[in-house]
Amino acid sequence: MEGIKDRVAIVGMGCTKFGELWDKSPDDLMIDACWEAFEDAGVDPKDIQAAWVGSTMSGRRGTMLARPLKLEYIPITRVENACATATDAFRNACYAVAAGIYDVVLACGVEKLKDTGFTGLPGNLEIITSEVTPPSPPPMQFAMAATRYFHHYGLSYEQGKRILAKIAVKNHHNGTLNPKAHFRREITEEQAINAPMIAWPLGLFDCCGVSDGSAAAIITRPDIAKNFKQDYILVKGLGIACGAQQAVLQNTYDYVHFQENVAAGELAYKEAGIKTPREEIDIAVVHDCFTITEMIIYEDLQWSPKGRAPEDVESGFFSLEGGLPVNTDGGLKCFGHPIGASGLRMIYEVYKQLQGKAGPRQVKNVRTGLTHNLGGSPGWFTSAVAIFGRRD
Amino acid sequence: MEGIKDRVAIVGMGCTKFGELWDKSPDDLMIDACWEAFEDAGVDPKDIQAAWVGSTMSGRRGTMLARPLKLEYIPITRVENACATATDAFRNACYAVAAGIYDVVLACGVEKLKDTGFTGLPGNLEIITSEVTPPSPPPMQFAMAATRYFHHYGLSYEQGKRILAKIAVKNHHNGTLNPKAHFRREITEEQAINAPMIAWPLGLFDCCGVSDGSAAAIITRPDIAKNFKQDYILVKGLGIACGAQQAVLQNTYDYVHFQENVAAGELAYKEAGIKTPREEIDIAVVHDCFTITEMIIYEDLQWSPKGRAPEDVESGFFSLEGGLPVNTDGGLKCFGHPIGASGLRMIYEVYKQLQGKAGPRQVKNVRTGLTHNLGGSPGWFTSAVAIFGRRD
């Protein structure tokens, strides 16, 4: 087997502003994101030989992208993989290019989540399937993770709550520096700690928002990427892992780590040739659906030793000026979370950071960036990790 | 660009009986199809490095396959592309293998259609999306095609109806030879012609059924395929085309051909190096959602000249003993149509025919076989064509 490292390049990306975009349809959002990507790459839609579109609820089948973009008679695949939808659409596009089937392809993710009435509660997403999903909404599932983490590592409610607040404060700060973010205001630790409780111990600011948005990427081979632009970005590793654990139903699930994250990280690090992730990853954009999720990700992806993430949060290791800035664009917390678009929104931030085009939130000397998604429910998550680097 | 020809091989396949399987869940169906494929290939589920699962309504995200098969911590992508869902899942699996990312992968399609109440009418599939779909159920859309075809080529109602009846009679006959088919009884032309009208001029026997079922394939590289079995099957071409035509809304759509079929066929023929499809294709399994669809496919895929398919139907060219037997397994009409499984069911038939293991419906000297799907609505169809061959 041969990995994906340095075999595909991104030559253009686009991303809409995220938010409650009541005056935009999914078609409008895809057009906005894809045309920014076309213009960034300097390609004409007629140059696109195949496409992948990710959405969980805002459209079906490949024609959902063909019609708004007038991409007639090319292959377009719709991918759905919960919160990892857009990353998996991107991944399949990369493999088709790496196989040499196509030279220039498009990956797009979209979600018009506000129109669906989606609240993260069961009754919309879960009940329409035949899955044996534990009947608890995401805030409850991740509240259990927070409770277990606090207990397992001996944090009091006050200690744990303050650590989580620091993560929310960091992501809110980063969001203020991002004109495309859904939420753009600073909050204080006290505001986060004293906010209305959603699912104990998670309060309002521990939870990400529900947003509309779209993001897109133009993918090609490195040997022709330089025809598009000099500062193209290379894919270094792609790892996805799906869980099939019975532990949740058997009440033996530990909730202080998510094995799908560990497995996806290991797959991507192996492909990218990364042995010391804490040192080698320069920035990361991860799936902070809840503050506790981001903290567990720090450990699952080998940036903090087990149980030691709180120390790294205290020291500011993951802030913009820290050793490994995480969610430099505001994360799900503030950029927002249109489910089928989030993976490509993350890649958009890493792409801009690697190019040195991230504006006021630019991190210095970014050479390797990582994105991470976590979709589904404890025990049967889909976790996706993607790693990117500069050509030089 | 490099085509897919001879770069991936199928070493195992499985398919459930199709029908109204009220006592089976989607999990049961996937387990049955995949375990037949595992046993056919001689692989253990632990050997599967990645998987693709296709379904339109019977599950979401990759974990829908991970859980029933206990495939822990591998990447599993859910693909959805209307009636071309399973073929597109298979196609993406092929590209990942051709890229050298994985050695052995699984593609599975499933649909528990009866549970959804699906009737092919709008109100279930169409209204949950934001698509601008013409508000007509599939029988009406294809009835328009039949009406236009009769008019355009000067067939009276009686002439056209009898030609369509011959296609239904052929597929019913083939279905009687297939123990896994949903419907297994002969019908006469008179029965088909005099059956209750569904959407004029299409009667009951011009329409396919609504079924439950699953099918699966094990895909690997040709250089290691011989470790699994001697009679592995090679992929020769994969073409998908999505439409984005405004013609339907503008009332200028011609309805006597479907350009998506023409485009997908051209892509697949080019990859496979096929210049004279009528002569070079030995058998085909195509998307006969309605008898008129099968007749139009004969022309779109270049087997009959435009307007001349009725002559080939009259002469028996597409029957089991004809020059190009089509829907040897009974087709959608009699094998059934669990949407997300149909593409892989078609590949299952071609695989068995190429291996000479199709039992009483075996066609002699099959060296090249083709499958075809058509999903969606006129103007924005997804059409998929796949071509397969023997190794020697």
Side-chain angles (χ1 to χ4, degrees), chain A residues 2 61 73 80-81 100 242, chain B residues 2 61 73 76 80 100 242:
Chain A
E2 186 182 2
R61 62 207 199 210
Y73 310 126
E80 185 279 328
N81 214 340
C242 292
Chain B
E2 184 183 5
R61 63 206 198 211
Y73 310 126
I76 307 177
E80 184 279 326
C242 292

Side-chain angles (χ1 to χ4, degrees), chain A residues 347-367:
Chain A
I347 297 172
Y348 180 82
E349 172 67 5
V350 167
Y351 172 82
K352 292 291 182 190
Q353 289 278 353
L354 284 163
Q355 291 181 324
K357 295 178 181 169
R361 63 188 189 281
Q362 179 67 47
V363 175
K364 285 184 185 157
N365 301 320
V366 180
R367 304 191 66 80

Side-chain angles (χ1 to χ4, degrees), chain A residues 275-336:
Chain A
K275 294 190 167 50
T276 55
R278 183 181 169 104
E279 285 74 40
E280 293 178 71
I281 304 295
D282 298 321
I283 66 150
V285 187
V286 306
H287 204 85
D288 60 319
C289 49
F290 301 93
T291 49
I292 181 64
T293 323
E294 179 165 331
M295 191 157 76
I296 288 174
I297 292 162
Y298 296 154
E299 301 182 4
D300 287 346
L301 297 186
Q302 308 174 39
W303 304 332
S304 301
K306 277 183 183 291
R308 306 278 291 279
E311 293 171 34
D312 283 328
V313 172
E314 290 273 15
S315 76
F317 186 71
F318 300 113
S319 67
L320 266 189
E321 300 75 26
L324 199 177
V326 171
N327 287 334
T328 50
D329 61 359
L332 299 176
K333 180 75 201 75
C334 289
F335 205 144

